């Protein structure tokens, strides 16, 4: 059984849920929890946009196409999703990063993405 890292967010408080519908997270528990086995660091709770979904598909990670064989209905703008921290930083560097729910973003994301970058994309409607 995989051992989750402590569940706290980039703000230093308890990690809030990211999404139950669609069900997200490395552990598919609705939170952006992580562990040593989570090689992608699925720790950034991102709010999908059409621009980001198109960008992600362009760079080889199609998040919008349904994959029923994996129980995945595809993401659409407005959905919340635990995104790989490195993909978020790449999108930031390319100017198309989505908004972020800081309270639902795992503190481990800070190993890859500076807090100031995450704060610059904070979703004002969250929290």
């Amino acid at each position: 059984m995989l051992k989750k890292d402590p569940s706290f967010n980039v703000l230093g408080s308890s990690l809030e849920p990211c999404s139950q519908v669609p069900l997200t997270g490395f552990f598919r528990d609705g939170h952006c929890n992580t562990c040593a086995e989570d090689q992608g660091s699925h720790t950034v709770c991102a709010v999908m946009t059409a621009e980001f979904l198109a960008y992600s598909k362009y760079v080889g990670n199609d998040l919008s196409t349904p994959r029923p064989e994996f129980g995945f209905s595809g993401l659409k703008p407005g959905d919340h999703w635990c995104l790989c921290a490195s993909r978020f930083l790449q999108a930031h560097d390319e100017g198309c990063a989505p908004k972020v729910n800081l309270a639902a973003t795992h503190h481990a994301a800070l190993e890859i993405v500076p807090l100031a970058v995450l704060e610059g994309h904070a979703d004002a409607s969250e929290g």
Side-chain angles (χ1 to χ4, degrees):
M1 178 153 201
L2 301 178
K3 184 178 183 306
K4 291 180 188 175
D5 288 357
S7 296
F8 60 96
N9 62 37
V10 296
L11 303 173
S13 56
S14 294
L15 186 66
E16 293 185 7
C18 183
S19 176
Q20 292 292 321
V21 179
L23 188 58
T24 192
F26 180 77
F27 292 93
R28 290 299 187 261
D29 62 359
H31 291 75
C32 296
N33 283 304
T34 192
C35 65
E37 291 80 7
D38 178 12
Q39 297 299 310
S41 187
H42 296 79
T43 52
V44 177
C45 182
V47 183
M48 297 295 102
T49 63
E51 179 184 32
F52 175 76
L53 289 169
Y55 170 77
S56 188
K57 186 174 184 176
Y58 174 75
V59 295
N61 188 23
D62 183 358
L63 297 172
S64 55
T65 300
R67 297 292 304 269
E69 68 272 26
F70 299 116
F72 181 68
S73 60
L75 300 177
K76 60 188 181 314
D79 286 344
H80 288 65
W81 192 250
C82 293
L83 193 60
C84 292
S86 59
R87 177 71 70 200
F88 173 83
L89 186 58
Q90 180 184 21
H92 164 76
D93 291 344
E94 296 289 332
C96 58
K99 292 292 185 187
V100 174
N101 178 342
L102 295 174
T105 295
H106 197 280
H107 72 96
L110 297 175
E111 295 171 11
I112 298 168
V113 184
L115 181 58
V117 170
L118 291 168
E119 289 174 333
H121 293 282
D123 186 347
S125 68
E126 301 291 340

